[in-house]
């Protein structure tokens, strides 16, 4: 007897046991996910949600953080260190906090505090206006007065040895001294003026770069005759920038020359100013800053500055030595968008340019311009270094810069446009919180640098990050959060989700998925639900729900509907680990 032969339906199995993170594009690889929530690469290649977060502090107005021996932050007018508040009278603007040795520089307030001695804090700038008579005396550098015997345009006849003569035949006037041994009048190369008035030097230090004002239009009269002194050019010449060569509480000594002793009652202002700067960083024991716009004096500038070596208070000290302050003009157009120190070089970004400063030991610093994708406007806080590589948000995406040219590393984020990025490097990861430019919602992404994988956590809007002592801190919602779970931990289990791309859309020959098996483990109390979306439907259909009452692993078989293609979504609450997803693929007929 003959029996009919039945054709055995051919099937195959495809298993994914390496999960490669987030990829928000139309075509994605096996093991990648089109969307996700609260996932991490910590357990790679296993798919798993992130750990719990915590709360470090709940300040009234958190405005910025910085890593020192412990986490330091600004709470309104206070600087907080080890939970001890120092009232510094700070304003309510977001802060740039820059570390320089034990000091923290607080901008835009232009204040500082010594974290090794918290009683040492104050203003970077200083200003004093006299309210008593001010005298001006030609002096030596130590402040001792010169007593010139002659003030005239012609050389005195038969002078005694060491006689002093102020030669008024040329401008500026010069002080000369008779040398009997050589028979010549020898010019004293540098002369000084001692400026005396109660309290005039108390706010300043030796070698401070200062600005003197109030001397150009001063009206003077001779103390004997009462006649007005017409020529006060030597006094007016002191008006402007200079250096304090010696000081006491009631006097300062500056470079200058004058024919007579002056005493005036008009107010004189002495000030030490810090330029208005867009961004400031520290490198090689100096502060470096940039400015595009209006300077303190009202001039429009496009410049990069650096402070005096080892002295963040002095930005206008020009003594002709290697430790001087420095100013360099920039020829590129547009606002500065960010700054950071990378591999010892101060880097200043515009949206389409990178300015790299080469620091010179002799003070001849140079600027190199590189046309490239720079930092997007409003994303200055996205600059962060992970494993010697600099990451930042450009208009086209997230860039990685190793010192040569930036390259984009965010193709997996898709074509969504983001802005207002805030980021930080911690361990091997780059954390970045960005605002979706069209939907005005935030998203927190994490880039695992060695694994080159992105994961999306949640919608956390972060105003500042800080990596300190093995923990990552974030300011969000008026609180300082611990992203890795120290501090007061969250008690609620983490809600998580992953969503695949289109499964089966590229399969030829009428193949279809007859079975999906998910291998996973769950902690006690964790829950998991799986959903499927078939073909071009917008509806998600629940496939299964699972709850764990003991710590064990599961293998979940799913039989999807017969379809051309599908998407799978897994939602969970609590800790779970997905080890593999296996698809059983069968050959269909041309009719079904």
């Amino acid at each position: 007897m003959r029996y009919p032969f039945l054709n055995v339906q051919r099937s195959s199995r495809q298993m994914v046991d390496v999960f490669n993170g987030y990829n928000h594009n139309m075509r994605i690889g096996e093991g990648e996910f089109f969307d996700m929530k609260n996932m991490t690469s910590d357990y790679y290649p296993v798919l798993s949600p992130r750990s719990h977060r915590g709360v470090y502090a709940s300040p009234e107005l958190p405005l910025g953080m910085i890593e020192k021996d412990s986490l330091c932050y600004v709470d309104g007018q206070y600087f907080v260190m080890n939970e001890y508040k120092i009232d510094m009278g700070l304003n309510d603007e977001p802060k740039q906090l820059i570390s320089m040795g034990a000091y923290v520089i607080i901008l835009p307030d232009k204040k500082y505090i010594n974290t090794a001695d918290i009683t040492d804090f104050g203003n970077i700038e200083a200003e004093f206006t006299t309210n008593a008579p001010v005298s001006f005396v030609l002096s030596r550098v130590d402040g001792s007065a010169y007593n010139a015997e002659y003030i005239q345009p012609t050389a005195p006849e038969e002078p005694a040895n060491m006689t002093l003569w102020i030669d008024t035949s040329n401008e500026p006037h010069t002080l000369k001294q008779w040398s009997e041994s050589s028979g010549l009048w020898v010019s004293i190369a540098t002369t000084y003026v001692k400026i005396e008035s109660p309290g005039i030097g108390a706010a300043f230090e030796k070698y401070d770069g200062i600005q003197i004002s109030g001397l150009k239009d001063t009206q003077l009269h001779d103390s004997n005759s009462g006649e007005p002194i017409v020529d006060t050019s030597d006094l007016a010449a002191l008006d402007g920038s200079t250096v304090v060569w010696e000081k006491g509480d009631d006097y300062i000594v500056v470079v200058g020359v004058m024919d007579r002793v002056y005493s005036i009652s008009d107010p004189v202002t002495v000030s030490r100013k810090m330029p208005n700067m867009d961004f400031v960083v520290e490198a090689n024991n100096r502060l470096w800053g940039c400015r595009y716009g209006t300077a303190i004096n009202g001039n429009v500038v496009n410049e990069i500055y650096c402070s005096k070596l080892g002295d963040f208070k002095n930005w206008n000290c020009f003594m002709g030595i290697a430790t001087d302050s420095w100013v360099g003009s920039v020829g590129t157009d547009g606002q500065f968008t960010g700054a950071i120190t990378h591999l010892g070089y101060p880097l200043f970004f515009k949206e389409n340019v990178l300015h790299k400063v080469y620091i010179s030991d002799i003070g001849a610093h140079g600027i190199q311009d590189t046309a490239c994708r720079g930092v997007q406007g409003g994303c200055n806080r996205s600059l962060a270094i992970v494993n010697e590589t600099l990451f930042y948000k450009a208009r086209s995406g997230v860039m990685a810069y190793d010192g040569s040219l930036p390259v984009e590393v965010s193709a997996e984020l898709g074509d969504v446009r983001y802005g207002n990025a805030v980021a930080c490097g911690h361990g091997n990861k780059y954390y970045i919180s960005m605002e979706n430019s069209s939907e005005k919602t935030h998203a927190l992404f994490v880039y695992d640098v060695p694994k080159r994988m992105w994961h999306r956590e949640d919608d956390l809007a972060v105003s500042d990050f800080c990596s300190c002592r093995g923990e990552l801190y974030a300011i969000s919602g008026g609180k300082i959060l611990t992203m890795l779970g120290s501090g007061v931990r969250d008690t609620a289990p983490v809600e998580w989700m992953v969503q695949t791309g289109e499964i089966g859309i590229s399969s030829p020959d009428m193949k279809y998925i007859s079975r999906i098996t998910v291998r996973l483990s769950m902690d006690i109390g964790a829950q998991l639900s799986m959903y499927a979306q078939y073909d071009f439907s917008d509806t998600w259909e629940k496939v299964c729900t699972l709850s764990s009452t003991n710590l064990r692993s599961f293998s979940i078989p799913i039989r999807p509907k017969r379809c051309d293609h599908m998407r799978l979504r897994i939602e969970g609450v609590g800790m779970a680990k997905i080890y593999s997803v296996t698809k059983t693929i069968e050959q269909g007929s041309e009719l079904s």
Side-chain angles (χ1 to χ4, degrees), residues 168-384:
T168 61
S169 60
N170 294 300
E171 294 291 343
H173 300 170
T174 55
L175 178 65
K176 297 179 179 180
Q177 191 171 45
W178 176 254
S179 173
E180 192 173 83
S181 61
S182 62
L184 296 173
W185 286 99
V186 179
S187 296
I188 296 176
T190 305
T191 58
Y192 302 86
V193 174
K194 183 178 182 181
I195 306 174
E196 288 188 277
S197 186
I200 196 171
F204 305 98
E205 300 295 334
K206 190 176 180 180
Y207 304 129
D208 273 0
I210 61 170
Q211 182 85 14
I212 300 176
S213 58
L215 298 177
K216 286 187 176 180
D217 300 321
T218 302
Q219 297 296 320
L220 298 177
H221 295 78
D222 187 273
S223 58
N224 296 321
S225 65
E227 295 294 323
I229 300 174
V230 177
D231 185 10
T232 60
S233 58
D234 49 359
L235 186 62
L238 296 177
D239 199 286
S241 298
T242 187
V243 173
V244 176
W245 288 88
E246 190 57 78
K247 55 93 55 177
D249 285 350
D250 299 326
Y251 73 91
I252 57 174
V253 177
V254 300
V255 172
V257 63
M258 51 184 47
D259 302 346
R260 68 190 82 210
V261 175
Y262 290 102
S263 180
I264 64 174
S265 57
D266 292 346
V268 175
T269 299
V270 182
S271 59
R272 183 187 66 234
K273 294 293 186 181
M274 181 182 191
N276 291 333
M277 291 177 284
D278 301 322
F279 306 103
V280 178
V281 298
E282 187 277 335
N284 282 32
N285 203 23
R286 298 177 187 260
L287 290 187
W288 301 77
C290 58
R291 179 66 174 173
Y292 182 92
T294 305
I296 293 176
N297 58 10
N299 296 333
V300 177
V301 298
N302 188 10
E303 295 175 332
I304 293 175
Y305 310 89
C306 83
S307 69
K308 183 180 175 181
L309 182 67
D311 186 354
F312 55 81
K313 295 181 181 180
N314 274 285
W315 297 80
N316 297 286
C317 185
F318 303 106
M319 301 168 63
I321 57 178
T323 60
D324 277 354
S325 311
W326 178 83
V327 180
S329 295
V330 173
T332 58
D333 191 24
Q335 297 281 346
F336 287 98
T337 54
I340 196 171
T341 299
H342 179 234
L343 301 178
Y345 299 97
L347 306 181
F348 297 93
F349 288 89
K350 297 184 177 182
E351 286 208 339
N352 299 303
V353 182
L354 162 62
H355 298 285
K356 185 175 185 178
V357 179
Y358 288 85
I359 302 174
S360 169
D361 291 338
I362 61 173
H365 315 301
I367 304 173
Q368 181 190 68
D369 302 341
T370 302
C372 62
R373 285 173 287 180
V375 175
Q376 180 180 350
C379 297
N380 57 288
R381 292 183 184 268
S382 70
L383 288 153

Side-chain angles (χ1 to χ4, degrees), residues 115-140:
T115 56
D117 176 11
I118 58 175
T119 63
D120 178 15
F121 65 88
N123 295 309
I124 293 175
E125 296 184 330
E127 184 171 283
F128 181 82
T129 300
T130 61
N131 54 13
V134 186
S135 65
F136 300 82
V137 180
L138 186 67
S139 73
R140 298 174 179 84

